Amino acid sequence: MSGTTALLVLEDGRIFRGEVFGAAGTGLGEAVFATGMSGYQETLTDPSYHRQIVVQTAPQIGNTGWNDEDDESARIQVAGYVVRDPSRIASNWRSRRSLGDALREQGVVGVAGIDTRALVRHLRERGAMRAGVFSGDALAADDELVERVRDSPQMAGSDLYGAVTTREPYVVQATVAKRFTVAAIDVGIKSNTPRMLAARGIETHVLPADTTIEQIEELGVDGVFLSNGPGDPATADGPVALTRQVLERRIPLFGICFGNQILGRALGRGTYKMRYGHRGINIPVIEHETGRVAITSQNHGFAVVGEAGERFDTPFGPAVITHTCSNDGTVEGMRALEVPAFSVQYHPEAAAGPHDAADLFDRFVDLMGEATGRGRHRLYDPPPGVAPPAEPAPEPEQSVVEPAVAPDVESPVVPVAPGTAPAVEPDVADAPWVEPLAPRVPGPAAAPVPEVVAPPVPEPGAPVPDAVDQPPMPADPASLAAPLPAPMQAPMQAPIPAPLPAPLSDEPTRPIPLDTVRLAAQNATPDPAVGDDAPSDGDWFATRSEDDPPEGERPGPTDGGPR
């Protein structure tokens, strides 16, 4: 085989052949497909994908390269990567290397050039299954590679959160005024989660998965966060026991993804492995209390047992299933009714989007505010111990005095000279108008308008009467020569239009016959600069050979020629 050959081998014996993409070697894990068309860097570094071989359904991957800002953990987490068409160039202002270079640097094996459509259809029909990517020195006979895949551990029953949890606690400070302190139990936390909390004034203490309740109480936290993570939740007995202790102490709790399954187990619910899971950034979720639908980012192959809107009893009081997936009815969220705890199966912290569910962090802040008596969360709430900004003093109300109107006294009428405004007292002019309660006193009646009578229409043929009603002409003719007012003394200077050119002749314009044009073109003197053999401008359209069709029969647009 060629040194660039790579194979994807499934546990049911099907083999897909392609080319090496990334590092060469062996990668064993569970083959799953992700439907996101963007955000591949966040997908590859998400600890929830630990020990999984991710198949991208989008045909071309790697267009924006690899940057140093979007990693969700310290390294690439997938066991293998499968794409159809890797981008040949990386085009983005933040890119520092290509996707292939990032895979090679971190030793992640991949395969490209296979029919990902056929592969995804196969996984949808048969379900997610164990698989292996083989290239380079790891290549062997097909039967041998299939056996190596079947000897690898299954995802069901795998305890994987211990492989991705932090070894030492660390703190992410609030980026705005501090409001609360939260203990985040790291069973595979993504980097964007503490950033989302920090933007809401939360100081986050990221703790290992084996943290005890005593260590949490020593921190004096206001809430506990259960992160996302990989593996089978049925193996997470330690985090489940810790969650029950948190609920007993009524510490506000919020869980996502793997944390939703941990809370479900703590409330007495079971979990199960899904056929091929939810992995993508366009999965719809219904919140049954409000009817709101959110488009969410998800990555899980296990789910909590339950039905939409189901209420169930727990050791901590009743609880309810609050969210389900509109595609298949999978449980996507729950809430305890007597203890401050809720969770969702999807990712409100999705850095690559969508961001429909980002308000869940605000609900967590509200929950802590209600539990601690610090009020509900608002965007501009001041932190505890800080006085709110002083509000501007209200403007004094203006007292409005009703005008006193005597019912039996008529209002005096003050004559006003024409062209002048009536005098108004200053205090009356500045006061707003208020309709008086008493009826207005009518003033003196207005003078009647004289009726305009049209002159009689003379009978046909009757003599026209003299204009006796017109004013007479002035007797002194000198009064006609009186000077005009100043604005009327300057005459108007209207532009004088240019005269039109005189016609060449009195005869109407006639079209020049085509034969005359041809004759003129044939008898034209040749241009010495061009030569006798070069046709003149007129020759191109006026000269016609004997083979030309007669006038009116030339081909037009309908038969291929110009008109």
Side-chain angles (χ1 to χ4, degrees), residues 470-495:
Q470 296 183 7
M473 294 291 292
D476 186 6
S479 63
L480 299 176
L484 297 174
M488 302 180 60
Q489 292 179 4
M492 298 180 63
Q493 301 294 333

Side-chain angles (χ1 to χ4, degrees), residues 37 99 161 190 223 276 282 288 302 314 327 342 344 366 437 443 514 518 523-524:
M37 297 182 66
L99 172 58
Y161 68 88
K190 294 163 66 175
Y276 48 81
N282 61 344
H288 297 286
F302 294 85
T314 76
N327 289 340
F342 73 103
V344 293
D366 291 341
L437 299 178
L514 185 61
R518 296 194 193 97
N523 297 333

Side-chain angles (χ1 to χ4, degrees), residues 95-476:
S95 177
R96 296 295 177 264
R97 62 195 65 84
S98 69
L99 172 58
D101 291 340
L103 295 173
R104 281 189 292 271
E105 291 174 3
Q106 301 192 38
V108 178
V109 297
V111 55
I114 70 172
D115 188 352
T116 52
R117 295 173 301 176
L119 174 57
V120 170
R121 181 181 293 272
H122 187 79
L123 295 177
R124 281 181 59 90
E125 294 175 351
R126 306 291 181 89
M129 62 183 70
R130 290 171 293 177
V133 178
F134 303 95
S135 59
D137 296 338
L139 292 173
D142 293 351
D143 294 343
E144 180 180 346
L145 297 178
V146 172
E147 288 301 321
R148 292 175 61 182
V149 170
R150 292 174 179 172
D151 291 339
S152 62
Q154 296 187 7
M155 183 58 66
S158 294
D159 181 359
L160 300 180
Y161 68 88
V164 296
T165 187
T166 181
R167 302 306 172 194
E168 297 293 336
Y170 62 92
V171 179
V172 178
Q173 299 291 342
T175 55
V176 295
K178 179 182 174 182
R179 292 177 52 86
F180 300 107
T181 302
V182 166
I185 308 303
D186 179 11
V187 288
I189 196 169
K190 294 163 66 175
S191 300
N192 199 44
T193 300
R195 285 197 294 263
M196 298 283 282
L197 295 172
R200 289 159 173 81
I202 297 177
E203 179 184 280
T204 305
H205 292 250
V206 182
L207 308 177
D210 58 357
T211 299
T212 64
I213 189 63
E214 290 76 18
Q215 293 172 316
I216 293 177
E217 289 179 324
E218 289 177 2
L219 295 174
V221 299
D222 303 298
V224 173
F225 177 80
L226 299 176
S227 78
N228 59 286
D232 188 347
T235 65
D237 294 336
V240 169
L242 176 63
T243 301
R244 288 174 178 158
Q245 293 172 329
V246 171
L247 296 177
E248 291 171 354
R249 288 159 176 78
R250 303 184 62 85
I251 302 175
L253 182 141
F254 175 36
I256 65 171
C257 196
F258 198 66
N260 177 69
Q261 299 159 13
I262 292 175
L263 177 60
R265 284 195 57 198
L267 295 177
R269 307 298 287 186
T271 59
Y272 64 96
K273 191 177 189 305
M274 305 172 68
R275 185 174 186 179
Y276 48 81
H278 293 164
R279 296 175 182 88
I281 59 177
N282 61 344
I283 299 174
V285 170
I286 303 174
E287 184 177 9
H288 297 286
E289 185 177 2
T290 62
R292 176 174 175 261
V293 177
I295 304 302
T296 66
S297 172
Q298 298 193 21
N299 167 27
H300 65 103
F302 294 85
V304 177
V305 176
E307 300 292 337
E310 176 187 357
R311 292 174 65 98
F312 56 96
D313 295 328
T314 76
F316 310 97
V320 62
I321 302 298
T322 56
H323 300 69
T324 56
C325 177
S326 60
N327 289 340
D328 54 13
T330 302
V331 173
E332 298 285 356
M334 66 189 71
R335 184 179 76 251
L337 301 181
E338 295 184 1
V339 291
F342 73 103
S343 62
V344 293
Q345 185 60 62
Y346 45 96
H347 289 271
E349 86 295 346
H355 304 136
D356 292 16
D359 67 304
L360 292 173
F361 288 103
D362 297 323
R363 300 188 194 183
F364 184 38
V365 175
D366 291 341
L367 191 65
M368 290 186 290
E370 294 170 358
T372 58
R374 300 181 190 175
R376 296 182 62 83
H377 166 65
R378 292 181 300 171
L379 185 60
Y380 300 107
D381 270 356
V386 178
E391 297 183 359
E395 298 181 359
E397 297 183 0
Q398 296 181 355
S399 58
V400 179
V401 179
E402 298 288 346
V405 179
D408 298 330
V409 180
E410 295 185 356
S411 301
V413 179
V414 181
V416 179
T420 62
V424 182
E425 297 182 4
D427 56 345
V428 177
D430 297 335
W433 167 255
V434 178
E435 186 69 23
L437 299 178
R440 293 178 180 272
V441 178
V449 179
E451 181 180 1
V452 178
V453 180
V457 179
E459 296 292 336
V464 179
D466 295 335
V468 294
D469 296 332
Q470 296 183 7
M473 294 291 292
D476 186 6

